[in-house]
Amino acid sequence: MTAGTADKKATDHLWMHFTRMSTFDDHPVPVIERGEGAYIWDSNGKKYMDALSGLFVVQAGHGRTEIAQAMAEQAGKLAFFPVWAHAHPAAIELAERMAALAPGDLNKIFFSSGGGESVETAWKVAKQYFKLIGKPMKHKVISRTIAYHGTTQGALSITGVPPFKQVFEPLVPGTARVPNTNFYRAPEFVAHDEKVFGRWAADRVEEAILQEGPDTVAAVFVEPVQNAGGCFPPPPGYFERLREICDTYDVLLVSDEVICAYGRLGTMFGAEKYGYQPDIITSAKGLTSGYSPLGAAIISDRIYEPFGKGDTIFPHGYTFGGHPVSCAAALKNLEIFEREDLLGNVSRNENAFRSTLEKLLDLPIVGDVRGDGYFYGIELVKDKNTRESFDAGDSERILRGFVSPTLFEHGLYCRADDRGDPVVQVAPPLICGQAEFDEMEQILRDVLTEAWKLV
């Protein structure tokens, strides 16, 4: 298939996700044909750095033939069988491996096909759990503003990004929003100290629980580092206080780690990075490094306990959850993690990554650089002194109209996003080091320097 043929067929038949399809009325569809390590190539042979790991997914890098081989071997032996009242060796082995890696008593693995399904699973587990233990009114979920948790009807209801929700409303009732942990945009009265801000933000969760009624709130869903809005890390003490609040009101703490698990922050799970114990972890993406779709809700023994009694079942599942080929990919991926010490690579290099990106703070358009591990957001501003953000017209003209396409033209695949304030996000494969950091910084510097002329 030639580049021109691929573009035509894509325009005629492929409905791309989260995409303005009219863009391709007068522009060709970018077609990515292959990848190797931290790089991808399009159908014209042009090389790009994959500074987003596909979509926060390709932890071990592209072109890992040993993962493909493990998948082929599994498909030749058993290509598919559901984990509905049956099991197969790949799912058993992977569940055991994940339980050993997960913190605390998170020993029960419920497989899904992806992140949104994992979130959906966690909410349904929470609802039924409280019914089983005699607290049937506890069904509501509290999450944070601008937080993204998925596109299924339940996960979208938990999501705090209004433009993603409005066209699909009414959604599932029973959700409430609290402030996120964006210290750069903290209210003035707590903006002087991160720890004070963290306590204030966590206390808003308690306030929401009391407002909704503790007897009605089942769970709090939070990401270790919030993605939407541009990589908000937790302030010191935030998760310690949040765990305390959840324990006080018998509310489950769900750590949504669809992005933050499997090495993105330098630990296997984001909860380990910040020293808190969740009741459930939701995950996907990096579990297989994207070589095959797979997600999982990782559930504590305490929460599972009433489900394992008598004639109780959890009436929920997915045809492709725990798919044998996907489980084989995940097992080989985790083997690579261990053999090549990918977590150690992130831990050893995360400060260098941060300091390299922070060089961009000398640009007048860069207001903030924030994140953790290999997961960063660069916030763009009109005025560094006042922290004035872009308005809708600026975002359209500068972020979408110039920054996003120009970064790609310069050979950097990353993400320009304005679900909150305008940011550029970078999250490279976990195999990267200083050479890749420098390449990212240079391309970002060149493009953002030009973008400032448009402000």
Side-chain angles (χ1 to χ4, degrees):
M1 188 184 300
T2 66
T5 301
D7 168 52
K8 177 66 165 61
K9 291 181 177 180
T11 303
D12 288 348
H13 303 294
L14 182 62
W15 194 342
M16 284 166 278
H17 301 198
F18 287 99
T19 299
R20 292 183 183 178
M21 296 302 292
S22 63
T23 302
F24 306 115
D25 290 346
D26 52 12
H27 290 88
V29 176
V31 178
I32 305 303
E33 282 196 340
R34 66 183 183 94
E36 182 177 341
Y39 294 89
I40 52 176
W41 284 260
D42 69 16
S43 54
N44 294 309
K46 184 177 178 179
K47 181 181 179 181
Y48 306 83
M49 171 175 281
D50 181 359
L52 201 66
S53 302
L55 193 61
F56 315 106
V57 170
V58 190
Q59 318 291 63
H62 297 278
R64 294 283 192 166
T65 55
E66 62 185 298
I67 299 180
Q69 182 62 39
M71 294 168 65
E73 290 174 2
Q74 178 60 55
K77 188 185 304 181
L78 179 69
F80 174 76
F81 206 81
V83 289
W84 294 43
H86 300 81
H88 56 77
I92 295 169
E93 185 180 352
L94 180 58
E96 179 187 37
R97 182 76 184 276
M98 291 173 67
L101 292 170
D105 69 339
L106 298 176
N107 289 313
K108 296 296 182 183
I109 315 301
F110 193 100
F111 287 117
S112 68
S113 308
E117 290 182 356
S118 297
V119 170
E120 201 82 12
T121 298
W123 192 4
K124 291 172 82 171
V125 165
K127 285 182 174 183
Q128 188 176 353
Y129 167 75
F130 282 114
K131 288 178 172 63
L132 290 172
I133 67 168
K135 297 183 178 182
M137 291 180 63
K138 290 176 80 72
H139 67 281
K140 296 177 183 176
V141 165
I142 293 168
S143 59
R144 301 187 293 204
T145 57
I146 318 177
Y148 175 81
H149 293 285
T151 55
T152 59
Q153 291 284 292
L156 187 57
S157 300
I158 299 171
T159 291
V161 186
F164 286 3
K165 301 155 69 95
Q166 291 163 353
V167 296
F168 304 115
E169 291 173 335
L171 296 169
V172 180
T175 65
R177 232 64 60 214
V178 294
N180 57 47
T181 58
N182 182 2
F183 185 60
Y184 186 68
R185 298 289 179 185
E188 188 174 345
F189 61 91
V190 289
H192 61 285
D193 185 287
E194 278 194 275
K195 193 167 185 179
V196 171
F197 169 62
R199 176 64 185 236
W200 172 85
D203 283 347
R204 302 288 70 74
V205 177
E206 181 178 42
E207 185 178 85
I209 291 171
L210 292 172
Q211 183 173 353
E212 294 295 324
D215 291 341
T216 72
V217 178
V220 174
F221 278 67
V222 289
E223 298 164 275
V225 175
Q226 181 173 315
N227 172 39
C231 304
F232 305 147
Y238 176 81
F239 275 112
E240 180 182 3
R241 175 62 180 142
L242 191 56
R243 179 72 266 182
E244 182 181 79
I245 291 166
C246 288
D247 290 342
T248 297
Y249 298 103
D250 195 15
V251 171
L252 305 190
L253 178 55
V254 181
S255 189
D256 185 355
E257 305 201 14
V258 171
I259 288 176
C260 291
Y262 311 117
R264 180 54 53 194
L265 303 180
T267 50
M268 189 59 71
F269 295 98
E272 298 173 276
K273 181 85 170 188
Y274 303 114
Y276 66 94
Q277 181 61 49
D279 297 298
I280 301 174
I281 290 176
T282 56
S283 70
K285 292 189 184 286
L287 175 55
T288 67
S289 281
Y291 284 74
S292 189
L294 187 65
I298 309 171
I299 298 151
S300 76
D301 291 336
R302 177 177 74 90
I303 304 308
Y304 169 78
E305 193 268 339
F307 290 88
K309 293 181 176 179
D311 61 359
T312 301
I313 69 166
F314 180 41
H316 171 75
Y318 302 104
T319 298
F320 295 113
H323 192 286
V325 176
S326 295
C327 289
L331 285 164
K332 183 58 69 173
N333 182 52
L334 292 175
E335 180 186 310
I336 291 170
F337 268 59
E338 185 174 346
R339 186 178 71 237
E340 298 185 10
D341 190 22
L342 295 187
L343 302 184
N345 188 60
V346 176
S347 297
R348 288 186 294 272
N349 288 293
E350 61 182 345
N351 289 335
F353 187 39
R354 176 190 292 271
S355 62
T356 301
L357 293 176
E358 285 179 341
K359 293 178 182 179
L360 297 168
L361 288 167
D362 68 355
L363 299 177
I365 198 173
V366 175
D368 193 27
V369 174
R370 55 178 177 260
D372 213 340
Y374 276 20
F375 184 35
Y376 273 85
I378 301 154
E379 182 169 335
L380 309 184
V381 294
K382 293 174 73 171
D383 188 313
K384 291 183 76 156
N385 293 323
T386 64
R387 303 188 179 183
E388 181 184 357
S389 189
F390 290 4
D391 59 27
D394 296 325
S395 286
E396 189 67 32
R397 181 172 54 89
I398 301 171
L399 194 71
R400 293 191 189 89
F402 179 79
V403 172
S404 183
T406 308
L407 286 169
F408 192 66
E409 288 167 11
H410 280 60
L412 190 69
Y413 170 72
C414 56
R415 185 183 209 177
D417 190 18
D418 65 345
R419 284 175 289 180
D421 295 296
V423 295
V424 175
Q425 286 182 291
V426 287
L430 310 188
I431 59 174
C432 290
Q434 191 61 53
E436 290 80 15
F437 305 159
D438 289 339
E439 183 177 350
M440 279 183 265
E441 192 273 341
Q442 187 59 61
I443 295 173
L444 286 163
R445 175 172 296 277
D446 292 345
V447 174
L448 294 179
T449 297
E450 292 302 308
W452 177 246
K453 297 175 183 178
L454 304 175
V455 174

